[in-house]
């Protein structure tokens, strides 16, 4: 490591070759003379600098945290240590769900910088969904990634001492989860300072904020999010945190990682599929329905794969202290009813999270391109209203939903209705 | 601090005056010449050395962790750092429930030693319950201590960053909670190596271990115990962890402290009251019933005080991120239905914990004197069977119990039945 890396300095396209060219571990992987590297800044997220660096041997991604929220500016400081948690999360996800995240090539803690595999030809999934592109194997990827990280990061699998140490480590990730706590769970339901929503939505917004039972249930889920350290969550798994080609996908950007409910990631991701679903009439017009049905197929199959993978891991990898074989198989008892009870709890959290995510993406600070790119404001409001009302239905359901297929049925019925 | 305190050495009655007499902070509080101190070893628990030291000014308690389980011996090592967690817990409890725990006078981390207030004329509550002695104000103490520590250690009250830091700190307390995880939640339900139970109980034990639904529910509670960091629990609040005079009580020995479910402490404590209740016919004979009813009054009133205190704190001290006033009062909505929903969740955990504690105290390693001191083995088995079967009923109830009064009704009905 260079002496200069003791003190954080933000990289730029101009300074990157000079600064990283001296780090043998990186330079040898990129290949060639650093002065010949092609460097492009591609960060389109809310928080970080992201560079593609192409050398003689390969392309890599250089991701560096900024000490503030990029979307807002220096007025909203954010700690650099989130790169530490992102690195720790990537390393764990690579073990728990092999092949599902970019490989880490180098990590520099003082520079809050991770050098990782460049995902050739991958595009952010949200863009593909807006464009109406299909991704083969997407549901399998989603179901397996969520089930494997959920199961293998929990005390169904981990030694308790290791899991407690990990909970301690990630309990240091404070500010980013705090953004989720406020922006996702609370701000949609009151007139928070940075909120904005589409003109015309006021009646629906008033309905949600006037629903004290809905707010109670959202806060119950917040308490579970903040206090239920069941497994290491990705913590921000929306369609902007998945990159795909036509046939394969990877999960990126786990800087919001912390230990939390096993159902959180899949619930948040399904919400983003449902928002893609509800927004399609604006992007495809008359031709929307077949692509909408493809999205629902992905939702239904993702849930089915999650369940079957979770059951497989339960049967074959249950080595933690929870639901030990000594209480079930070793006494001649089938443990699968216990597995189904655990799955029911996971889905309860998932559908609650899903509904809340559908709210926050239309009502608080960080909106989705799926809806934001709809220029016809009246149409946007009409589609967002369907999404918001379905979100409320999911939160109210308390998990009493007939699985992924049931959620898709609800989506179809809300897609036919108008609330404005 | 003396130089010698860098290296841990167990104290003894003989060495204590010499070793602590040189610590000015302690010696000045005890008063007089150390050689004149009267030292008595009174540790009757399973884990530690406990001395009463009487000097010219006052008496103090010196509690020192041993590097193994005292009950078992050096073959079961146990880390000294539990004194660190006990100290941290005592300091927090003193703030969150003032006057409810002994005052800490000195803490020596390398010696795993806490010097604290001597509780004049206080007797271990379990002994009083076996003796049939009443303690005025006991229910008020129990209800307020449990409600205040539950509420004020949660994100209903604490700043999230402080609470996360605390969760990280207590996540280092591994081995003691691991004892609870195994001995309380799992070992009752299989033939674990160190288990023992009263002769004659085999049919009831077989019934419990043959009940896969019961075991599934016990493991669900284990997952919540290990993963639900709602508040800082005492973690081992049985009737041996309370000391009382005829009119006042304090909670001691929080070395099992960790962040966990808000309902755990009160659930475990009520279980110990119920075991006192079921054991009374052996201690009082024909006269048992009036004292039994006094115990049930304590249970019912403890639960009522817990609820009223929790509601009071909800209304007056709700300063954390959960259920913020911005979502309720500030929008003209009553938040008390949300408080009742939170309480319902607390009681669900409490009654589940209560039932499991009733099992483990008759079936695993650490039994209660309430039952153990019954010399008539057949009678003991008959009374323990009532306790075990009521425990199963509480676990199966999934929280569908009509509060403390409902639990007392169930206890009365089981007290009339025989299961052997």
């Amino acid at each position: 490591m260079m002496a200069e890396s003791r003190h954080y300095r933000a990289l730029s396209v101009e300074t990157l070759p000079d600064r990283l060219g001296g780090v043998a571990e990186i330079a040898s992987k990129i290949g060639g003379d650093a002065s010949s590297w092609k460097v492009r800044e591609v960060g389109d997220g809310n928080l970080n600098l992201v560079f593609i660096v192409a050398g003689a041997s390969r392309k890599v991604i250089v991701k560096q945290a900024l000490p503030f929220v990029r979307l807002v500016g220096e007025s909203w400081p954010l700690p650099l240590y989130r790169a530490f948690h992102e690195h720790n999360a990537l390393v764990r996800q690579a073990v728990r769900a092999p092949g599902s995240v970019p490989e880490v090539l180098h990590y520099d803690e003082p520079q809050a910088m991770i050098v990782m595999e460049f995902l050739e030809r991958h595009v952010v999934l949200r863009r593909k969904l807006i464009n109406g592109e299909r991704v083969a194997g997407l549901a399998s990827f989603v179901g397996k990634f969520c089930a494997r990280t959920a199961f293998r990061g929990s005390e169904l699998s981990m030694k308790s001492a290791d899991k407690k140490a990990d909970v301690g480590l990630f309990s240091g990730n404070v500010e980013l989860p705090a953004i989720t706590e406020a922006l996702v769970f609370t701000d949609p339901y009151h007139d928070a300072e940075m909120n904005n929503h589409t003109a015309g939505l006021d009646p629906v917004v008033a309905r949600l904020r006037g629903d004290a039972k809905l707010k109670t249930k959202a806060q119950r889920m917040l308490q579970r999010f903040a206090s239920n350290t069941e497994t290491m969550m990705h913590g921000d798994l929306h369609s902007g945190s998945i990159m795909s080609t036509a046939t394969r996908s990877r999960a990126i950007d786990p800087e919001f990682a912390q230990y939390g409910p096993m159902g959180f990631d899949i619930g948040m991701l399904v919400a983003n599929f449902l928002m893609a679903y509800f927004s399609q009439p604006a992007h495809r017009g008359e031709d929307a329905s077949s692509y909408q049905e493809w999205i629902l197929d992905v939702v239904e199959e993702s849930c089915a794969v999650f369940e079957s993978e979770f059951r497989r891991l339960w049967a074959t990898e249950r080595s933690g202290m929870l639901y030990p074989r000594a209480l079930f198989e070793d006494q001649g008892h089938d443990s699968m009813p216990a597995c189904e009870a655990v799955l029911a709890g996971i889905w309860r959290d998932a559908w609650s999270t899903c509904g809340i995510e559908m709210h926050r993406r239309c009502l608080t600070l960080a909106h989705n391109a799926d809806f934001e790119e709809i220029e016809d404001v009246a149409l946007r409001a009409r589609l967002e209203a369907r999404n918001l009302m379905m979100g409320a239905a999911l939160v109210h359901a308390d998990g009493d939903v007939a699985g992924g297929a049931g959620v898709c049925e609800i989506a179809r019925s809300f897609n036919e209705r108008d609330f404005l």
Side-chain angles (χ1 to χ4, degrees), chain A residues 98-131:
Chain A
S100 64
V101 296
E103 185 192 355
V104 173
L105 303 171
H106 181 75
Y107 168 58
D108 183 332
E109 186 171 341
Q111 294 302 324
M113 180 186 77
I114 303 169
V115 182
M116 65 187 108
E117 178 186 5
F118 172 71
L119 300 176
E120 198 74 56
R121 290 185 308 281
H122 285 65
V123 175
V124 171
L125 177 61
R126 191 185 305 287
R127 182 53 48 202
K128 287 182 167 289
L129 294 171
I130 293 170
N131 291 348

Side-chain angles (χ1 to χ4, degrees), chain A residues 1-5 11 16-31 34 37 105-108 111 113 115:
Chain A
M1 194 177 294
M2 299 176 292
E4 69 179 47
S5 39
L11 291 161
L16 188 146
D18 197 41
R19 288 184 54 200
L20 301 194
V23 185
E25 192 186 343
I26 303 175
S28 66
K29 282 172 180 158
I30 300 175
W37 292 350
L105 303 171
H106 181 75
Y107 168 58
D108 183 332
Q111 294 302 324
M113 180 186 77
V115 182

Side-chain angles (χ1 to χ4, degrees), chain A residues 176-246:
Chain A
L176 267 72
I179 293 175
T180 304
E181 289 155 5
L183 256 64
V184 175
F185 290 98
T186 299
D187 288 357
Y189 307 109
H190 74 119
D191 189 18
E193 193 182 340
M194 291 180 296
N195 281 357
N196 72 81
H197 61 255
T198 301
L201 276 179
D202 285 356
V204 170
V205 174
R207 213 162 137 179
L208 299 181
R209 292 188 185 154
D211 185 345
K213 281 189 184 165
L214 178 76
K215 293 185 285 189
T216 299
K217 289 176 178 183
Q219 289 295 301
R220 174 188 175 277
M221 193 61 224
L222 169 57
Q223 184 171 18
R224 289 185 59 75
F225 174 79
S227 293
N228 211 288
T229 63
E230 290 174 355
T231 196
M232 191 193 78
M233 309 178 292
H234 178 287
D236 191 36
L237 193 64
H238 52 76
S239 50
S241 299
I242 292 180
M243 297 192 75
S244 301
T245 67

Side-chain angles (χ1 to χ4, degrees), chain A residues 87-102:
Chain A
H87 173 247
N88 274 299
L90 280 170
V91 168
R92 283 158 179 74
Q93 289 167 339
V95 173
R96 293 174 192 170
S100 64
V101 296

